[in-house]
Amino acid sequence: MAFESKRYSLFASISLLSSRRSNGFVNLFNSPRCSLIVKSSPRNIAENEGVWIPLVPVENDFQSPVRKIVTDEGTGDTPQCGSTVEIEYIGTLVGEKHWSSDDVVSCWLSQLQGLSDLSQLFLDQDIDGSMLLDETRFTEDYCVQELGISNKINAKKLIMAARRISKQQEEHEPGHVFDSSTTRGKNFSFVLGGGKAIKAIDLAVSSMKVGEQAKLVCRSDYAYGSEGLRSTKGDTIVPPFATLHFDLKLISAT
């Protein structure tokens, strides 16, 4: 059964977000769902835990915004779009320190009003998450002198937005479990491609076999976007622009 509006989870649909309509979030659902779109030869990304399989194609050497590691191979069928699937899950916050410069531009800078034209500068200067969160390096002077931002109001806006992301790391620490089927005592069932899951989950599950267990990492533009996720009381469950990690197991598909 899909999560009702009173139940806030990593699989909340748009309706659970208090009708938020920021472009960054709504665009998650504009493209066809539950299609694994690795069309060229898969570029596996080696990281500490193993080999990450990209679920969204990328250019150059950037890491895929949605990627997985298979920890236990499944033996069943791969679900089709429209299938009813059941999964076990644990969702944790990753933090934004490990953003690449492409991540910074694609899921953060692009959502800052009047500042998206700085994208190429950020890529040229390789401003990644580590740089963005370093309050001794990413300063107003740096923006003016190194990035050439002549409009000091825009420089201040940029720094203020960066400081909010930095503060977010303290208030919502990386590794925090924000939702879990174990905690809820119930697995999550939903129709694949039906809009009840964030886009990253649709992409991941559509690539899995029944019985498969996998680790998934996804950027905010494939999850809860620039608004994040809040409860009806206004408490933050997933902060804005949050990168998420999931432990997933596909239990069944019918």
Side-chain angles (χ1 to χ4, degrees):
M1 182 177 71
F3 283 94
E4 299 89 4
S5 60
K6 291 182 179 179
R7 301 181 65 182
Y8 290 81
S9 79
L10 62 152
F11 305 108
S13 64
I14 293 177
S15 63
L16 301 187
L17 299 177
S18 303
S19 299
R20 292 188 179 95
R21 301 187 62 80
S22 70
N23 290 334
F25 186 83
V26 175
N27 284 344
L28 296 181
F29 300 89
N30 285 344
S31 58
R33 300 177 67 87
C34 66
S35 58
L36 183 60
I37 53 177
V38 181
K39 297 180 179 178
S40 58
S41 58
R43 185 179 62 83
N44 293 343
I45 305 170
E47 295 186 13
N48 291 337
E49 297 182 32
V51 177
W52 288 92
I53 302 170
L55 301 184
V56 173
V58 292
E59 297 179 358
N60 302 320
D61 293 322
F62 293 121
Q63 61 189 8
S64 176
V66 184
R67 54 198 186 276
K68 75 170 186 176
I69 290 177
V70 177
T71 57
D72 192 6
E73 297 282 353
T75 58
D77 295 331
T78 297
Q80 302 297 310
C81 192
S83 299
T84 297
V85 296
E86 178 184 347
I87 59 174
E88 292 178 356
Y89 67 90
I90 299 174
T92 59
L93 303 178
V94 174
E96 288 60 66
K97 184 177 181 179
H98 301 292
W99 274 348
S100 67
S101 57
D102 181 60
D103 293 334
V104 170
V105 166
S106 298
C107 72
W108 181 73
L109 188 63
S110 64
Q111 300 302 310
L112 302 182
Q113 187 174 6
L115 298 175
S116 60
D117 58 345
L118 300 174
S119 296
Q120 193 57 52
L121 277 173
F122 269 63
L123 294 174
D124 292 343
Q125 294 290 329
D126 196 24
I127 299 175
D128 57 12
S130 179
M131 173 69 171
L132 191 71
L133 299 178
D134 190 336
E135 297 185 10
T136 65
R137 297 170 62 202
F138 195 73
T139 63
E140 189 174 335
D141 285 343
Y142 174 86
C143 291
V144 172
Q145 296 172 12
E146 298 297 325
L147 297 184
I149 301 176
S150 56
N151 187 323
K152 290 190 175 182
I153 293 178
N154 282 345
K156 288 182 181 295
K157 285 172 58 178
L158 192 58
I159 293 302
M160 289 175 63
R163 296 297 180 262
R164 286 194 293 271
I165 293 293
S166 181
K167 185 178 181 182
Q168 184 171 294
Q169 311 305 300
E170 301 173 5
E171 296 176 343
H172 306 280
E173 294 184 359
H176 170 69
V177 176
F178 64 88
D179 198 7
S180 167
S181 59
T182 301
T183 300
R184 291 181 178 274
K186 185 178 182 180
N187 294 337
F188 178 53
S189 296
F190 64 101
V191 175
L192 190 61
K196 294 298 182 181
I198 59 175
K199 189 175 180 182
I201 296 298
D202 268 344
L203 288 171
V205 173
S206 67
S207 75
M208 299 172 71
K209 295 180 178 179
V210 173
E212 180 178 316
Q213 297 183 54
K215 295 181 182 293
L216 175 73
V217 172
C218 67
R219 208 168 59 189
S220 62
D221 46 339
Y222 289 84
Y224 292 110
S226 61
E227 295 294 322
L229 179 66
R230 293 178 180 271
S231 70
T232 53
K233 296 180 179 179
D235 298 324
T236 299
I237 298 173
V238 175
F241 303 108
T243 300
L244 306 178
H245 174 280
F246 304 119
D247 290 296
L248 298 174
K249 181 176 181 180
L250 179 55
I251 302 298
S252 65
T254 56

